Structure formats: C-alpha cells, structure tokens
Amino acid sequence: MGRIRHDAMDRHGGFEVVVACDTALDPTASVPMVTDPMAVYDYAPDVIVCSVPNMMIPDVVCTALERGKHVFSEKPPGRNSADVRRMMEAEAAAQAAHGGRVLKFGFNHRVHDAIEEAKKLIDAGTMGDLYFMRGVYGKAGGPNYAQNWRNDPALSGGGILIDQGIHMLDLFQMFAGRFTDVQSFVQRKFWTDVPVEDNAFALMKNAQGIVASVHSSATQWQHTFRLELYLRNGFISVDGILSASGSYGTEVLTVALNRLDATGSPIPNPESQELRFTEDRSWDKEIAEFHAAVVEGAALRCGTSQQALDVMELVEAIYAADPEWSTTRQQTPQTATE
Amino acid sequence: MQTPVFLDHLPDIDAVAGQKPAKYRLRRNQALGALLLDPTDPWQERKCCPACGQASDKNPIFSQALMEFRRCSGCNSIYAARTPDQATLDRLRLEQIAATAAEPQGDREFEFTSLLNWISLTEARLERRLDRVLDIRFASQAPAWPDATERLSHNRAWDFLHLEPDSPDFAGLRAAIAQAAPRAILMPAELDRAADPAALLAALKDAAAPGTVIFAASSCADGLEYEILGAESPSFVPLDRLTVFSIKGFETLSARLGLKVLEVSTPGRLDAVILDRYFKSAENRSIPFWSSFFREADKNRLRDLQILLQRSLKSGVLRFILET
Ligand SMILES: [Zn+2]
C-alpha cells in the first residue's frame, strides 16, 4: 500500500518523500529507509503516511499527531471504535496545540468514479427518495489466509467484515447516513482454523427507515463487488470495483429511470444506461484531497475521523448483533497483546 | 467523454420491416424520383465529405441506386454526392407529414421516455440545471411528443421549433434559439436529413449561449447494419440519409465547429433484428460468418449481439451530447 501511495504522491506533485520505514531495508529504494518507526522523525517530515497493520495504526497515528504531523492512514482505522476514539482525541489535541492538523483515512471507495457518479445521480434528486441498498463484497480468502495477521482478531479486530466489508458499510453511510438498528449472522465456514469470520450478513435500518443489507465474504470464490440502490424513480447499481489486482473487474454503473404506464405505475424492466469505468483514479483523488487539506486548509469530505468512527461502530454493531458469534468470540483466547 | 450503453428490450421487427415503414419508404422514394426530374435543378454537388472534409474523389461509391452516395475512406461516413437545397428538403418533409397525418401514428411512448430520461440523467450527471429545452423539429415529426413532455417531463420548460422551410444558413433556427434562450437543445432527427449538417450545427453553436447542452441523434455509418447490408439496409431511405455520420466523422466535425463532445453512444436497437430478418428471408445470400450466424440465431443471441454492438459503438444509431 505504501508503494501505491508513494506513486500517487509522485503523480500529484507537491510531495517530497524524505524517508520510508519498513520491516526490512530495500537496497534499491530511491529514498532513505529505516526500520525503526521513530527514526522517521529524524528526517523532520510534515506528513506521515501510515500503511501498517491494524493494531499498529493507533500508535503510529497518535505519535504523529502528537508531534504535529499531518496524517494519512490506511483503513480500517485500527481494530475497533476505541482505537478510533483514541486517534480522535490525539487529533483534537493536535488541533489545539498546532492548529490545522489533518487526519484522513483511506476509504478510497467513496472516490471511485462509478460511486461518485451514483452519488451525483442521487444528489440531483432525479431518482427520488432512497428506499433501500444491497451490497455484496467478497473474495476467495487469499494465500496463507490462516497465517495472515489480518486473521488474528487481536491484531486486526476481526475478519473479512472489518477488512473488506467495511468499505461497503462506509458507502452505505455515505449514501444514507448512520445505521443504528442492526441484525446479523456472522459465520466461519471454510477457514475454520482461524478465529475470525469468513462471512458476515447484516440487515440494518437507519432513522429515516432506509434499509440496507450487506454480505461480506471470504468464500465468494468469484471476486465480487456489487452495490445496488433502489429509489422512488428507478435504480442504480455498481458492478465491479477497480483495484490494484484488477480481479473485481471494471466498474460498471447501471442506472434506470422508470417508465410509467397510463395510470402512472412503473412498467417492469425499464431501459437502463450502462457506464463503464476502466481507470482507477481513486488513489490520485484521495491524495489530491489530502494535499488540498494540508496545503490550503480545505475541509475533508472523505475519510474523516468521524466517518471512521461511524463505520467502526457499525462494524461492532454487526458483530454484536449475532449473539452466537459474540459469545464464541469472547471465548476465543486472544494471544497477541492488546 | 462518456460512452454509455442503453439497454432495453429488442423491438419487434415489424417496427422496421412492416407495412407502414414500407409505405413510408415508397413515398419518400417517389418524392426523390420527382425531385431528380425537377427542371429547376435544386441540387448542389458535395465536393468533400461533410463530416471530415476529405475530398470526394478519394471516397469510393457506396451506392448508385436512385442517387449516388459515397463512403468516406477517411472517416467512414456515408454521404449523398449531391443534395437538394434545405428549403426543398423541408418542403418535401412537410408534404410527407401532411400526407400521412390522418394515418394512425403508433405508440411511441417508449421512444419519448428514452429521450426524456436521457436528458434527466445527463442533467444529474453534469450537475447542471437543464430547465429550458428547445426541441428542434421533432414535434413536427412526432405529433404526440409535446403532449408527452407535458405529462412526463416535470421541472422543465419546453419550446418547440416546428418544421418549416429554412434558408441554407438556418436563419429561422437561429432566430428561434435566440428567442427561446434554451439551456439544452434536443435534435433527434435532423442531422442525417439536412442539406448541410455543418451549417445546421454551426447555427446551433452561434445562436445558443456558451454552455448550452445539445442532445443530438442520427443514423450511424459504423453500424453493423450498414457495414453488412450497405444501401440494401431497410433503414437506408436516401432522402432521410443524406449524411450518415460515423463516430469519427461526427467527432471531427464537432471539433472543427468548436463544439465539445461530452458523450457518445450508439443506442440503436435494430441492427440485429434487421440482419436476422434479412438473412432468414434472403436464403441464397452468403456472407462469411454472418449468414450462418443469423440463420442459427435465436432471440437471446440477437440481444447479446445488439448489446455487444452498442458496447463497441457499432450500432446503426448514434447519440451525441455536445456543449456549445
Ligand atoms: Zn469523412
């Protein structure tokens, strides 16, 4: 991820990468490298880009903010809402001490072209009121699935839902605001030797009565991203999401406005318009927004700490809403240090 | 620039190959026959491709039935080698409309909804209010259209410029635009019928305020229908197809006139059914791959093909969204 961010900063301009920290030194690196996270401060950076495992995110982010740095951090924002609150406190303290410090999280799905286009269609009012949303986001485990830190709950905070499904939940809340009323089933089916879920199903409702359902899966053998929004006057769907691997396909936005019969009732299967997006500009847009926030003091629209807190609370609510899962989870010994 | 695909049911073949279209074609060709014998000789030569400007002597003959058409080797547009003047063309269309006014017009509600939804969704995606639209002559050709806009197009004021004989530089059209001061212009059925489509587009560009959005549709020379059937295509009615633009040709012309292309699509729905009908009735026509493809095709395969054509910008109708 650090590499992707570095490339995006190079494309954008206005950034000078002064040092990179990794677990091992790369002799071919084009910038100075260190392995001790605290050593980066010897280079007096203005900005810290934090691409570390979930359990390390709060410490790295808080340290950077305490030292008056602007911070761009990957998602998820730590392992749980307590981690986010800790970072929000550091953010507030940095504001008080240094003023104008930026903390942005990498919820890049919000700025994918198809998603932005869907948002424009809804914001224009043409489609009418939003009724419900359905989201499916899934993949086929991955290499060394059981050994990956992502699947140690003490390090990651959870399984596929917090790792991947969190993007879908963030989009739900971008379109409809906060969801508080939640039902769920959380399961471990295939990857039974790891103590995190490989499937999460949730049904949720917000204060306006908008309903959303999500299925986040690590046993979706065919990589899939599909978001559907149904509104009074028609529907929108986004199929596929551009990613570094390309395995979720290109992004296809489909939108239709209903045709009405003589009595004003919708006729089934309206003409739809399909728009295809083939270039992933989300990394560039995120870096551009971060740059504008740091340099010009522009307000962040995507990846704010409040959005991070909202989505983390929703993740926790989904885990908690399946009593069987939350009981099992509490009984699972957590080996790594909290 | 966006290239959307418009997905819908495949229409019934009778929409293009039934009795009514056959009668229409006959009347239009009779009018053309009379025009060819007209002693006042209202014809003007086209020395170059009306889309990209390539000299006509470089462009091979496309058809010589009734009148000569060429296919531009530079941009693939098809065009009549000479055209009657605009006022004559307009007069002939008015006569045709008058002659068929008493006949049942057929239900065009789906077509109307498609145009209205096209405007609504574009408005949302451009994040720009298109609350005043000028319709260019479509209302004359589709008498039920103004009523449809009244019923289905809320939050938008409509002005209708009816078909009447205009000058070569479209002075009437210019005056109508200046008076209506539209935010958007809809022109679904003029470009291929105009004596000089560049003059028509230039009139829009000159008379409309900068930033006006133009929704234009036309037949498309890149369509599989024209590629395979050429002038034998049932939708090739010479007087209505004086210029059949290719995508490249229309883009070139738009750029030359200083119009910005916001969107291109080929939402034609008829290529597959037209070709299906053709190969199933012309049993001895043999074209590598395609004759057996269509003779064996069922409805699902035709739909798949039509969607593929649209996605590849290769169907027989084109739509452009332009900005002045
Ligand atoms: Zn040409």
Side-chain angles (χ1 to χ4, degrees):
Chain A
M1 284 309 297
R3 189 72 241 168
I4 291 176
R5 300 296 181 193
H6 189 169
D7 291 346
M9 287 186 280
D10 284 348
R11 281 193 300 273
H12 183 276
F15 291 94
E16 181 200 350
V17 179
V18 292
V19 61
C21 174
D22 207 340
T23 48
L25 298 178
D26 176 358
T28 66
S30 58
V31 294
M33 286 198 73
V34 295
T35 52
D36 171 11
M38 294 311 289
V40 300
Y41 294 102
D42 297 343
Y43 293 80
D46 303 311
V47 161
I48 297 287
V49 175
C50 169
S51 304
V52 299
N54 304 3
M55 72 294 184
M56 291 165 65
I57 283 178
D59 285 343
V60 172
V61 168
C62 291
T63 304
L65 287 168
E66 279 156 20
R67 289 168 174 252
K69 311 300 177 190
H70 302 282
V71 182
F72 184 106
S73 170
E74 303 301 343
K75 52 89 320 220
R79 297 156 298 174
N80 48 48
S81 61
D83 280 351
V84 186
R85 284 198 189 86
R86 209 186 119 204
M87 291 185 276
M88 288 174 90
E89 279 164 25
E91 184 187 20
Q95 285 297 347
H98 310 280
R101 297 301 100 165
V102 176
L103 171 60
K104 176 175 165 70
F105 292 98
F107 285 102
N108 73 327
H109 285 40
R110 287 182 180 233
V111 291
H112 275 253
D113 285 346
I115 300 293
E116 284 192 333
E117 205 75 3
K119 184 86 166 57
K120 277 196 255 170
L121 285 162
I122 292 174
D123 289 349
T126 315
M127 310 292 301
D129 290 342
L130 178 60
Y131 286 170
F132 63 90
M133 297 180 279
R134 280 196 289 253
V136 174
Y137 205 172
K139 61 180 181 180
N144 303 320
Y145 188 87
Q147 286 74 47
N148 196 314
W149 61 264
R150 290 173 200 276
N151 297 310
D152 180 341
L155 302 181
S156 63
I160 190 68
L161 181 67
I162 198 170
D163 181 42
Q164 189 181 60
I166 194 168
H167 279 297
M168 190 63 84
L169 299 174
D170 181 53
L171 294 179
F172 282 176
Q173 301 204 113
M174 177 182 86
F175 284 113
R178 290 199 64 200
F179 284 87
T180 43
D181 195 353
V182 177
Q183 298 168 19
S184 74
F185 293 105
V186 182
Q187 298 184 326
R188 188 167 54 217
K189 287 288 194 191
F190 186 87
W191 314 95
T192 48
D193 47 352
V194 292
V196 296
E197 81 284 358
D198 54 23
N199 278 278
F201 305 80
L203 185 63
M204 60 206 87
K205 191 169 81 169
N206 73 5
Q208 290 76 46
I210 298 170
V211 172
S213 70
V214 67
H215 177 199
S216 170
S217 178
T219 66
Q220 178 97 22
W221 308 124
Q222 168 103 1
H223 284 197
T224 302
F225 176 92
R226 182 170 171 84
L227 170 62
E228 301 172 357
L229 301 112
Y230 285 81
L231 304 102
R232 181 178 177 82
N233 301 333
F235 62 86
I236 298 171
S237 67
V238 177
D239 266 291
I241 197 93
L242 291 164
S243 64
S245 69
S247 61
Y248 295 85
T250 56
E251 284 165 39
V252 181
L253 174 90
T254 304
V255 54
L257 282 169
N258 287 333
R259 296 189 266 237
L260 306 179
D261 67 14
T263 68
S265 303
I267 302 168
N269 304 323
E271 178 193 49
S272 59
Q273 217 184 101
E274 178 187 282
L275 286 153
R276 204 165 279 267
F277 300 90
T278 53
E279 193 190 345
D280 185 357
R281 301 189 301 144
S282 65
W283 313 110
D284 292 344
K285 286 193 246 178
E286 277 195 304
I287 284 298
E289 194 195 23
F290 182 63
H291 186 271
V294 170
V295 175
E296 298 154 28
L300 282 184
R301 289 179 303 113
C302 298
T304 65
S305 54
Q306 185 61 50
Q307 290 162 2
L309 180 65
D310 291 348
V311 78
M312 222 43 161
E313 286 182 345
L314 184 55
V315 167
E316 287 174 346
I318 291 172
Y319 285 139
D322 181 343
E324 205 176 314
W325 179 259
S326 29
T327 313
T328 318
R329 208 173 176 224
Q330 274 153 16
Q331 287 164 353
T332 307
Q334 303 202 349
T335 46
T337 49
E338 285 285 329
Chain B
M1 189 184 68
Q2 299 278 8
T3 56
V5 176
F6 293 79
L7 303 173
D8 207 347
H9 316 276
L10 278 193
D12 191 345
I13 182 63
D14 290 337
V16 275
Q19 282 236 320
K20 195 168 172 252
K23 238 163 99 182
Y24 173 84
R25 222 171 14 254
L26 183 66
R27 280 202 188 116
R28 283 299 263 172
N29 288 342
Q30 280 169 346
L32 173 59
L35 200 59
L36 290 166
L37 300 172
D38 186 337
T40 66
D41 187 23
W43 295 86
Q44 285 143 0
E45 291 295 324
R46 279 171 155 178
K47 293 196 171 57
C48 54
C49 167
C52 75
Q54 174 160 291
S56 282
D57 54 18
K58 286 191 186 157
N59 300 330
I61 303 282
F62 173 74
S63 162
Q64 284 187 304
L66 289 173
M67 58 189 283
E68 183 180 304
F69 279 81
R70 288 184 182 259
R71 180 152 217 158
C72 177
S73 61
C75 76
N76 203 42
S77 295
I78 299 163
Y79 63 96
R82 53 189 195 135
T83 65
D85 62 61
Q86 189 60 41
T88 304
L89 286 168
D90 293 341
R91 179 176 53 75
L92 288 178
R93 280 175 73 192
L94 283 170
E95 286 171 13
Q96 170 99 19
I97 289 167
T100 55
E103 295 172 7
Q105 296 295 316
D107 185 358
R108 297 177 72 172
E109 194 81 355
F110 274 30
E111 181 189 354
F112 296 160
T113 307
S114 176
L115 289 170
L116 293 172
N117 287 353
W118 185 31
I119 295 172
S120 295
L121 294 176
T122 303
E123 175 183 58
R125 287 178 30 223
L126 292 180
E127 299 179 290
R128 201 187 303 182
R129 288 291 291 139
L130 304 176
D131 49 6
R132 188 160 199 95
V133 189
L134 175 65
D135 166 84
I136 308 280
R137 297 177 156 192
F138 187 53
S140 297
Q141 193 181 296
W145 168 240
D147 171 61
T149 63
E150 185 88 2
R151 278 183 295 113
L152 304 170
S153 177
H154 310 295
N155 312 322
R156 231 181 286 292
W158 284 83
D159 287 298
F160 300 93
L161 172 67
H162 286 274
L163 173 59
E164 47 190 73
D166 209 338
S167 61
D169 66 345
F170 294 93
L173 175 71
R174 287 167 188 262
I177 293 172
Q179 200 192 350
R183 305 285 290 268
I185 289 172
L186 176 67
M187 192 170 69
E190 292 306 308
L191 280 165
D192 35 15
R193 294 162 169 80
D196 183 356
L200 173 56
L201 285 171
L204 300 184
K205 163 92 171 113
D206 294 347
T212 306
V213 180
I214 301 171
F215 294 83
S218 176
S219 46
C220 175
D222 300 327
L224 188 65
E225 170 197 348
Y226 292 118
E227 292 287 355
I228 294 184
L229 299 183
E232 280 186 68
S233 166
S235 41
F236 190 75
V237 178
L239 264 187
D240 293 340
R241 299 289 181 265
L242 296 171
T243 313
V244 184
F245 284 103
S246 65
I247 301 283
K248 185 181 168 195
F250 196 82
E251 280 178 343
T252 307
L253 177 61
S254 302
R256 200 175 79 222
L257 296 171
L259 291 160
K260 189 174 168 199
V261 177
L262 302 181
E263 180 184 299
V264 183
S265 62
T266 66
R269 296 187 294 136
L270 297 173
D271 306 72
V273 289
I274 285 173
L275 289 162
D276 178 63
R277 169 78 160 232
Y278 176 83
F279 284 106
K280 280 180 179 144
S281 58
E283 275 172 29
N284 44 14
R285 265 304 288 272
S286 175
I287 292 178
F289 181 79
W290 291 112
S291 30
S292 68
F293 177 92
F294 283 106
R295 285 182 190 123
E296 289 158 24
D298 63 9
K299 218 173 160 164
N300 290 320
R301 203 178 298 173
L302 293 181
R303 186 178 146 81
D304 292 346
L305 174 64
Q306 193 64 42
I307 292 170
L308 177 69
L309 292 177
Q310 282 206 31
R311 286 184 178 145
S312 321
L313 295 177
K314 298 284 184 197
S315 104
V317 173
L318 61 78
R319 275 183 182 180
F320 269 84
I321 300 179
L322 307 168
E323 186 182 353
T324 58

